[in-house]
């Protein structure tokens, strides 16, 4: 199955939650379960800068958003995006430079034991480089084609629909050879 | 699960595989070098060393013949397939000592070289700077920083031919004198590279000129700031997005140098080197012609004041730059190098025609350019066999290359 087909399938599936919500309860397992998760938390950039390393602020807050198709009891396939600030560097007389990223990754997730999942994914990322101070603001947007993540999460069900938990994740941005890790609180809803 | 483990391992391998390696340390004899106890050779003595030498000993490494050429900083020994030796020199009594390193320019092999000229094998003559050239250099070379252990003997065969000595052939080195990807110890398009390139046999340089956001011409080749050419820093994206001040603050080239402005680099070239040709490759940022011309004129005036015979030409790589130049007042007074057709050369009244080498030697057109008082150089030839053919069969006045030592060999070995 090509990536394009999978993405198309995911989009079609995304339009169906309302229809499923109106369905009667059934003890029969469905092959078309979905989940939507939002996460927020601490982001730490693994400082590999050779220039400005000692002037860099490498801790910040980040957001993630995930949509998973859960066709059977262990494996899930999904899309992940988010917003992460990698670093902010203050340098005189150059100004302040920030680097942020919005990844779009195709993930495979596997439940290892109850509520505990491992996940890996790869995909694209848009990277935003801004420089301010002294002179006018300058922004550059860079497309990074080769990026990947791997993560571990513990998601505890509160009821049939709502789940909360935590996630620890590494993300690599290939274009700039940057790494970050993030620890997030995750709230997920089964659709 | 196995698939996931396999995937994780592959990702880690991919990450490791992307690790950059831009350095090949130059082997050094260190503080115990015999040269620390010698007297420096005078220029007359170094010039006596020049010529074609026969190789004996380990001929599989350097072939049967090499050329020995003195330059501003060192003595270059070059062979036909990209192996070269860079040597420092000195003498003690009547013995000449030569120490340095060898490199395979097409690979990453390197090592120490140590040679000497005994007093009865030309040493006395070299030290006094007089006499006939009957020199034998004896010594050895090694691998990396190990002590030289492979025999190497160079025996003087003949002087350079009159053709080789009397013809001004411009050996133009790419990207300020050498590419970062060729594992040189200094970064491309840097002032340090301009100071380094003569030891590779270059007599001129090509530089890549861009225009910063605050309209200052500077040097950088690629269309974006990347970890291939720069140390990892906070800026990313097209370099022309940033002011020169920002580039100097936040960007270091791969070996730590700052990005130079065009004016800084030209001034260094004039003041501190013997390079005789600068080919400014305009990367096409709109408005760059009108910013480069005043710097070019100022630097040519500086060269004239210092008695430096140097050609500094603005490259015309495409119609956009050509049209920008033609719109510049009194454009015929701007020394330029046109990579387009001979008609475009005449239109711009360019001093130099520089066709792509794949178009052939084009002897008739080159002859036309010469008849009109223009030079003709070609770009960019890297294969030794093509370099040999273009030097032996073509009529060009020079060529642009990433391997100036190979061009030196084929130029100076001409009969």
């Amino acid at each position: 199955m090509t990536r394009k087909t999978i993405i198309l399938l995911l989009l079609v599936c995304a339009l169906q939650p309302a229809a499923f919500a109106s369905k009667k309860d059934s003890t029969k397992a469905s092959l078309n379960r979905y989940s939507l998760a939002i996460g927020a938390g601490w982001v730490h950039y693994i400082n590999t800068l050779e220039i400005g390393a000692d002037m860099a602020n490498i801790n910040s807050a980040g957001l993630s958003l995930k949509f998973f198709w859960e066709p059977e009891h262990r494996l899930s396939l999904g899309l992940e995006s988010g917003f992460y600030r990698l670093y902010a560097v203050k340098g005189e007389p150059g100004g302040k430079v920030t680097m942020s990223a919005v990844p779009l990754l195709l993930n495979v997730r596997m439940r290892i034991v109850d509520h505990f999942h491992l996940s890996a994914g790869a995909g694209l990322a848009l990277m935003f480089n801004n420089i301010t101070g002294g002179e006018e603001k300058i922004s550059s947007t860079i497309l990074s084609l080769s990026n990947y993540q791997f993560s571990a999460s513990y998601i505890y069900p509160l009821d049939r629909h709502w789940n909360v938990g935590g996630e620890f994740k590494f993300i690599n941005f290939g274009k700039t050879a940057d790494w970050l890790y993030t620890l997030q609180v995750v709230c997920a809803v089964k659709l | 699960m196995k698939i996931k483990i396999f995937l994780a391992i592959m990702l880690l391998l991919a990450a490791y595989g992307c690790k950059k390696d831009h350095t090949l340390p130059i082997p050094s004899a260190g503080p115990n070098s015999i040269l620390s106890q010698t007297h420096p050779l005078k220029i007359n003595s170094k010039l006596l060393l020049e010529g074609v030498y026969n190789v004996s000993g380990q001929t599989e490494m350097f072939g049967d013949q090499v050329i020995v050429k003195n330059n501003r900083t060192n003595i270059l020994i070059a062979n036909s397939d990209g192996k070269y030796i860079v040597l420092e020199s000195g003498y003690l009594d009547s013995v000449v000592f030569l120490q340095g390193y060898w490199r395979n320019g097409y690979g990453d092999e390197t090592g120490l070289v140590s040679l000497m000229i005994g007093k009865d094998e030309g040493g006395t003559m070299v030290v006094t700077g007089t006499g006939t050239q009957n020199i034998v250099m004896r010594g050895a070379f090694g691998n990396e920083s190990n002590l030289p252990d492979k025999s190497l003997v160079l025996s003087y065969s003949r002087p350079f031919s009159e053709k080789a000595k009397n013809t001004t052939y411009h050996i133009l080195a790419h990207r300020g004198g050498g590419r970062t990807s060729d594992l040189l110890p200094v970064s491309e398009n840097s002032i340090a590279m301009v100071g380094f390139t003569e030891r590779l046999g270059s007599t001129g340089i090509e530089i890549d000129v861009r225009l910063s956001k605050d309209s200052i011409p500077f040097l950088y080749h690629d269309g974006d700031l990347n970890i291939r050419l720069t140390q990892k820093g906070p800026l990313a994206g097209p370099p022309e997005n940033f002011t020169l001040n920002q580039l100097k603050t936040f960007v270091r080239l791969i070996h730590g140098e700052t990005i130079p402005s065009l004016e800084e680099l030209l001034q260094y070239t004039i003041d501190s080197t013997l390079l005789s040709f600068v080919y400014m490759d305009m990367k096409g940022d709109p408005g760059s012609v009108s910013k480069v011309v005043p710097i070019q004129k100022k630097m040519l005036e500086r060269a004239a004041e210092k008695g430096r015979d140097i050609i500094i030409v603005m490259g015309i790589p495409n119609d956009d730059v050509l049209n920008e130049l033609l719109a510049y007042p009194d454009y015929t007074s701007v020394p330029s190098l046109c990579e387009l057709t001979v008609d475009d050369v005449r239109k711009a009244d360019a001093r130099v025609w520089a066709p792509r080498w794949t178009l052939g030697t084009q002897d008739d057109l080159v002859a036309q350019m010469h008849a009109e008082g223009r030079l003709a150089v070609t770009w960019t030839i890297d294969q030794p066999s093509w370099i040999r053919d273009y030097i032996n069969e073509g009529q060009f006045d020079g060529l642009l290359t990433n391997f100036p030592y190979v061009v030196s060999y084929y130029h100076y070995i001409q009969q």
Side-chain angles (χ1 to χ4, degrees), chain B residues 16 88 99 110 128 140 157 280 346 384:
Chain B
Y16 183 76
E88 311 270 352
Q99 289 201 327
T110 187
T128 56
S157 169
M280 298 186 291
R346 291 170 181 132

Side-chain angles (χ1 to χ4, degrees), chain B residues 39-40 64 83 91 97 107 113 143 150 162-163 227 234 270 295 303-304 333 348 380 399 401 404:
Chain B
H39 311 290
D64 296 328
K83 314 276 190 346
Y91 72 93
F97 294 90
V113 177
N143 288 324
K150 300 181 182 71
E162 291 303 312
K163 182 182 178 185
I227 53 175
I270 291 165
I295 296 170
S333 68
T380 301
L399 65 82
T401 182

Side-chain angles (χ1 to χ4, degrees), chain B residues 156-167:
Chain B
Y156 185 84
S157 169
R158 63 174 175 84
F160 296 145
S161 66
E162 291 303 312
K163 182 182 178 185
K165 276 195 297 192
N166 298 332
T167 307

